Amino acid sequence: MNYIEKILRHYKLILFFALAATILLAPWVRRGTIDNRMEENVLNDENLANYYDYLKTFGNDRILIAAFTYDKITAEMVRALYELEDAVNATGLVEEVISPVSILRNTFDLRDRESLEVWLKSEARLNNYVKKISSFQCMTGTIVSPEKNTASLLLRLSSEVTDMDTRKIGLLINLIEKAPYFAGRIKVTGIPTLTNVIHDYTAHDQKIFTPITMGIIMVILYILYRSFWGVVIPLIGIILPLIWTQAFFNINGNSTNFIVSMIPPLLLGIGLSACMYVFSRYCELSQGKERFDPSLVYQTVKELTAPTFLCQFSTIIGFASLGGNGMGAVRSFGLYASLGVLFTTYVSLFLVPSLILLFKPFNQRVTTFQVGHHIFRRLATFAIRKHKLIFLVNGMIFAIALYGISNLEMETSLIRFLPPDHEVIRKNQFVEKNLFGIVPVQLVLAYDPAGGANTLENTLLSSEICNSVSRLSADIRKIAEVDSAVSYVTLVQDYDREFSREKNHIPPSAEEVKDYLDFFKYSPAGADTYEIVEYAVNEAGETVEVASYEMPPEISGDSLETRAQIVDKFITRDFLKANLSLRVKDTSSRRLAEIFSTIEKLAAEHLPRNVRFYVTGRAYLWAASSEILIHNEYHDWLITTGLIFIMLVIYFRSLVVAAMALIPNLLPTFVLYGYMGMTGMPLTTVTGMIASVALGLAVDDTIHYTYELRRVLARAANYEEAIVETLLIKGSGIAFSSIVVAAGFSAPMASQFIPSFQFGALVCFSVTQALVFELFLTPSMWYWYKPFMPDAWK
């Protein structure tokens, strides 16, 4: 009695522990949360530290953009914006609102509708105000369009509102878009809407992937076995590892994301493939038997233990290599997929045989789909006789694939993850066409006084530095995709323009610069009232007073603090740190990287040495994170290849055989990325993972084929006969395991989320390729090289 039989004789105990574990872990399966944040999971370096420094200094950068068209800013529109801002502020979800009306409200301290109505009595006053904000560079292209037909509200979300608060963000968007005056005309977009959409996609995919995969699997099982037990036993064998894996994932406090959501269909496909090998072999052995024979179960497990363990171990290596990835989502995907495959190995070698011993099925039907001997005999004969042609064709395919890979481009923009006709894309295009780019980028400046005098001239307010910042801003705006570059210097120039009429004049002293900034922190002219004087330029070019009036409310300290906020977003109160806020049009990640690099070069050219700087913002972090991830995934693939090669060397005890065994498994990866390069499909965080996953899956078939070839050679008359017989024995198993794995990965293709769809489609493509290479190239290679030659033949 061997050790396998000894273990399986206690099959009831195996089943008991499996049932107990399932009952214990089942409550944890649905306790997961969704979190698609990327930058915090990847970066642990200066880039992330800079971003946190920016948030601490200048506030949250998560901004919603609510844009709308208009013919003219009227009193009615001002009232509607006033009410909308009040409604938005009442939610407690917004830290700050900047709009034509919020500026009006803060400038004239319009704290209630009564003071607003007093102010709106003069139409000339409103028209003059509109002209003023339209002339300010810091407002043009952001709050109002240069054409004066589009305006926006910029809503800075509260720091307590995170990416995971999709319901709160959704309520806010709904509140704005359904405001009576603007209904149907206002469009809300921005980075928070993007993360919101990705969250919704993830939640949707999480709900549909498993049911779709289960439905496909049940159809496959019924077609293959046409029996009750042929469906139930493998089905139990694939569901339990999924339950256990999902439970452990949630118990450890992990959050689901659009990458991890692809684990269930993956485990179902791999699990079914492994269980099918065991159940199909038992069906073949028990066919024609009139009663149940437990020895056939023991024989099945004994035959399949080595190749199954080796196959599953190679798959585990493929996934485990991702465990060292810098991104938490990819790392979790790799580690928990590996854990799931480990559970699948246990289930296929012990639990499925235990279920067979429990239910005692016998004389199970083996369909013609499982046999197909005439097909595999022809394939084997063709592979032997035309092996040189097959080598030539594969060499050409490899060369074409390399050409395609040379054209492969990297894409890391999350915006490109959405379908081209998605509502968020359309809203982004509207904002970019009428106002500004939707990608926020921050250039933070930090002045080092270096022990100098404690005066304003030894701060960022010095005329020299202000002029440097002005020239830097002008050069940055020359970049085609940059629509807006606003800083504290922009505020100073806007105010100065009202008096000097010079376009970009800056006062000669730091004291004057400070005074100009203080203009944006209005103070009262009297104890109970303050005077507003409006000016205009007459036909003679003279500045004349056109309106003068008083506003009744007394300005409180709180109001002064509110008015200081606009300056505080651009420069700190010690004047040692400043923020140059940029708006960039959505473009490819390669172009964004070029823009970031150009901005850094321009900053180094224009700024004095005692002014340090860094570029930051979520778009900048996403680009940095994704590029790190894709490079990590390349290294993961190299590690996977190396580990699998070592495993094959140990198993086959031959460097040459191990290297040759890798060829039909590496080719699908080269063809896959070559195809992507030739069709213009970019390399992303998700598609970059496929290399390791596909290699771990593909090598299984080579192991099964080569393992069986070694056994057949011991009894075959010649090598040609051994090649044919091996394919007759293993051909159907290899074909259907590939079909099953591809079917399992077809579930993500039901997603409208581009990364999920691409992952499913490309893995299916890779698995299908691997099957073709396995059926043609592997027999040809072994026939040509003739490894494992019996001593009697030499």
Side-chain angles (χ1 to χ4, degrees), residues 248-311:
F248 274 103
F249 181 85
N250 292 337
I251 286 171
N252 287 320
N254 297 289
S255 297
T256 300
N257 50 68
F258 65 87
I259 295 176
V260 173
S261 66
M262 289 179 274
I263 289 180
L266 178 148
L267 290 183
L268 291 173
I270 294 174
L272 181 58
S273 176
C275 292
M276 273 178 53
Y277 268 114
V278 174
F279 194 76
S280 294
R281 182 55 180 158
Y282 168 74
C283 289
E284 292 171 3
L285 294 175
S286 66
Q287 188 143 24
K289 303 294 182 182
E290 296 182 357
R291 62 184 179 84
F292 176 73
D293 184 357
S295 65
L296 298 180
V297 181
Y298 307 144
Q299 181 183 342
T300 299
V301 178
K302 183 179 179 181
E303 288 181 10
L304 297 180
T305 295
T308 299
F309 180 78
L310 199 61
C311 289

Side-chain angles (χ1 to χ4, degrees), residues 275-463:
C275 292
M276 273 178 53
Y277 268 114
V278 174
F279 194 76
S280 294
R281 182 55 180 158
Y282 168 74
C283 289
E284 292 171 3
L285 294 175
S286 66
Q287 188 143 24
K289 303 294 182 182
E290 296 182 357
R291 62 184 179 84
F292 176 73
D293 184 357
S295 65
L296 298 180
V297 181
Y298 307 144
Q299 181 183 342
T300 299
V301 178
K302 183 179 179 181
E303 288 181 10
L304 297 180
T305 295
T308 299
F309 180 78
L310 199 61
C311 289
Q312 299 297 83
F313 186 65
S314 68
T315 305
I316 289 172
I317 288 174
F319 290 128
S321 67
L322 299 174
N325 196 285
M327 181 180 181
V330 177
R331 185 167 58 247
S332 295
F333 175 87
L335 293 177
Y336 285 96
S338 299
L339 180 63
V341 175
L342 185 64
F343 288 148
T344 296
T345 307
Y346 163 76
V347 165
S348 61
L349 291 178
F350 295 102
L351 189 60
V352 168
S354 296
L355 290 169
I356 295 173
L357 290 169
L358 176 67
F359 296 121
K360 299 179 175 57
F362 62 93
N363 195 23
Q364 288 290 298
R365 178 176 180 175
V366 181
T367 69
T368 55
F369 292 100
Q370 289 174 301
V371 182
H373 280 193
H374 63 287
I375 297 175
F376 294 110
R377 183 179 296 277
R378 290 180 181 178
L379 287 177
T381 303
F382 179 82
I384 291 169
R385 294 178 180 175
K386 303 292 184 180
H387 64 276
K388 292 182 180 180
L389 176 62
I390 290 173
F391 294 159
L392 177 62
V393 170
N394 280 274
M396 294 173 62
I397 291 173
F398 179 65
I400 295 171
L402 288 180
Y403 170 76
I405 291 173
S406 68
N407 295 319
L408 192 62
E409 292 193 0
M410 186 184 301
E411 182 56 70
T412 60
S413 171
L414 293 185
I415 297 172
R416 304 302 171 91
F417 284 179
L418 303 183
D421 60 343
H422 194 279
E423 183 182 16
V424 169
I425 301 294
R426 293 198 300 270
K427 290 178 179 178
N428 289 347
Q429 292 170 345
F430 172 80
V431 171
E432 292 196 336
K433 179 182 177 181
N434 294 283
L435 288 166
F436 51 78
I438 55 94
V439 180
V441 180
Q442 316 300 332
L443 177 61
V444 177
L445 315 179
Y447 180 79
D448 182 8
N454 188 20
T455 64
L456 288 176
E457 293 295 339
N458 197 31
T459 67
L460 289 171
L461 299 186
S462 77
S463 179

Side-chain angles (χ1 to χ4, degrees), residues 413-633:
S413 171
L414 293 185
I415 297 172
R416 304 302 171 91
F417 284 179
L418 303 183
D421 60 343
H422 194 279
E423 183 182 16
V424 169
I425 301 294
R426 293 198 300 270
K427 290 178 179 178
N428 289 347
Q429 292 170 345
F430 172 80
V431 171
E432 292 196 336
K433 179 182 177 181
N434 294 283
L435 288 166
F436 51 78
I438 55 94
V439 180
V441 180
Q442 316 300 332
L443 177 61
V444 177
L445 315 179
Y447 180 79
D448 182 8
N454 188 20
T455 64
L456 288 176
E457 293 295 339
N458 197 31
T459 67
L460 289 171
L461 299 186
S462 77
S463 179
E464 178 191 358
I465 294 178
C466 286
N467 278 287
S468 296
V469 173
S470 176
R471 291 190 294 269
L472 171 61
S473 300
D475 280 353
I476 289 176
R477 281 193 291 268
K478 292 177 183 177
I479 301 172
E481 292 83 0
V482 177
D483 287 326
S484 172
V486 180
S487 69
Y488 72 100
V489 175
T490 313
L491 302 180
V492 172
Q493 290 173 328
D494 280 341
Y495 183 65
D496 180 85
R497 195 176 300 114
E498 294 298 308
F499 300 98
S500 69
R501 299 302 170 187
E502 295 184 39
K503 187 175 181 181
N504 291 314
H505 180 259
I506 293 172
S509 72
E511 284 287 350
E512 290 178 271
V513 170
K514 180 181 179 298
D515 290 341
Y516 280 22
L517 288 176
D518 286 342
F519 163 77
F520 294 92
K521 307 175 185 178
Y522 298 92
S523 56
D528 298 316
T529 64
Y530 62 95
E531 185 180 24
I532 299 297
V533 181
E534 296 180 355
Y535 298 90
V537 180
N538 60 21
E539 294 180 356
E542 300 171 334
T543 302
V544 297
E545 179 180 324
V546 295
S548 177
Y549 51 91
E550 293 182 342
M551 293 299 293
E554 180 181 358
I555 297 180
S556 65
D558 290 340
S559 181
L560 287 173
E561 196 70 22
T562 300
R563 289 181 179 143
Q565 284 183 3
I566 189 169
V567 178
D568 292 341
K569 300 306 176 186
F570 295 106
I571 192 166
T572 56
R573 297 190 180 188
D574 59 6
F575 308 117
L576 297 180
K577 274 190 179 181
N579 172 41
L580 180 56
S581 183
L582 313 175
R583 281 284 172 175
V584 182
K585 282 187 169 68
D586 174 40
T587 184
S588 69
S589 58
R590 171 182 287 186
R591 179 58 186 149
L592 275 178
E594 292 173 354
I595 292 170
F596 296 148
S597 177
T598 301
I599 291 170
E600 290 171 338
K601 288 178 181 177
L602 289 172
E605 291 174 8
H606 285 287
L607 297 174
R609 291 185 178 181
N610 57 348
V611 177
R612 293 179 292 104
F613 64 87
Y614 60 82
V615 179
T616 191
R618 300 191 79 185
Y620 182 81
L621 291 186
W622 284 345
S625 302
S626 296
E627 292 193 20
I628 289 171
L629 291 173
I630 291 173
H631 286 103
N632 284 350
E633 286 164 355

Side-chain angles (χ1 to χ4, degrees), residues 400-410 669-683 687 762 765:
I400 295 171
L402 288 180
Y403 170 76
I405 291 173
S406 68
N407 295 319
L408 192 62
E409 292 193 0
M410 186 184 301
T669 302
F670 283 97
V671 172
L672 172 70
Y673 289 115
Y675 167 79
M676 289 171 57
M678 286 188 287
T679 58
M681 187 181 298
L683 182 67
T687 56
L762 293 177
F765 177 53

Side-chain angles (χ1 to χ4, degrees), residues 80-293:
L81 279 173
Y82 193 98
E83 292 175 359
L84 179 57
E85 287 187 17
D86 280 348
V88 167
N89 287 320
T91 64
L93 304 176
V94 174
E95 179 182 301
E96 179 185 15
V97 179
I98 301 176
S99 77
V101 169
S102 66
I103 296 168
L104 176 68
R105 182 196 300 251
N106 290 334
T107 301
F108 301 115
D109 200 34
L110 308 180
R111 290 179 293 180
D112 51 39
R113 283 297 298 269
E114 181 183 353
S115 57
L116 174 67
E117 293 300 332
V118 171
W119 193 90
L120 288 174
K121 286 181 179 179
S122 169
E123 184 177 352
R125 186 185 306 154
L126 175 60
N127 292 336
N128 194 50
Y129 171 75
V130 172
K131 290 179 183 178
K132 288 288 177 65
I133 62 172
S134 299
S135 67
F136 274 28
Q137 189 177 331
C138 63
M139 306 297 177
T140 304
T142 53
I143 302 304
V144 292
S145 66
E147 296 78 15
K148 302 181 180 62
N149 60 5
T150 309
S152 72
L153 296 86
L154 303 182
L155 299 92
R156 190 184 301 272
L157 297 181
S158 169
S159 56
E160 286 76 27
V161 180
T162 68
D163 288 342
M164 293 183 287
D165 293 322
T166 56
R167 181 176 169 274
K168 293 179 180 179
I169 296 173
L171 287 172
L172 192 58
I173 294 172
N174 188 62
L175 172 66
I176 297 169
E177 292 187 335
K178 291 190 176 180
Y181 182 84
F182 301 100
R185 292 193 298 125
I186 196 164
K187 295 174 174 59
V188 182
T189 187
I191 297 299
T193 64
L194 175 62
T195 56
N196 219 42
V197 168
I198 293 176
H199 179 283
D200 291 342
Y201 272 130
T202 304
H204 176 263
D205 291 349
Q206 191 179 24
K207 292 177 182 177
I208 67 169
F209 282 174
T210 301
I212 289 175
T213 308
M214 290 295 294
I216 294 171
I217 285 173
M218 291 176 70
V219 171
I220 291 173
L221 289 174
Y222 181 75
I223 291 174
L224 288 179
Y225 302 114
R226 302 291 181 91
S227 69
F228 176 77
W229 295 120
V231 174
V232 171
I233 291 177
L235 204 58
I236 294 173
I238 63 175
I239 291 175
L240 296 189
L242 180 60
I243 293 174
W244 300 343
T245 304
Q246 188 66 53
F248 274 103
F249 181 85
N250 292 337
I251 286 171
N252 287 320
N254 297 289
S255 297
T256 300
N257 50 68
F258 65 87
I259 295 176
V260 173
S261 66
M262 289 179 274
I263 289 180
L266 178 148
L267 290 183
L268 291 173
I270 294 174
L272 181 58
S273 176
C275 292
M276 273 178 53
Y277 268 114
V278 174
F279 194 76
S280 294
R281 182 55 180 158
Y282 168 74
C283 289
E284 292 171 3
L285 294 175
S286 66
Q287 188 143 24
K289 303 294 182 182
E290 296 182 357
R291 62 184 179 84
F292 176 73
D293 184 357

Side-chain angles (χ1 to χ4, degrees), residues 624-645:
S625 302
S626 296
E627 292 193 20
I628 289 171
L629 291 173
I630 291 173
H631 286 103
N632 284 350
E633 286 164 355
Y634 170 70
H635 291 297
D636 294 339
W637 177 73
L638 291 178
I639 292 171
T640 301
T641 304
L643 291 175
I644 290 177
F645 176 72

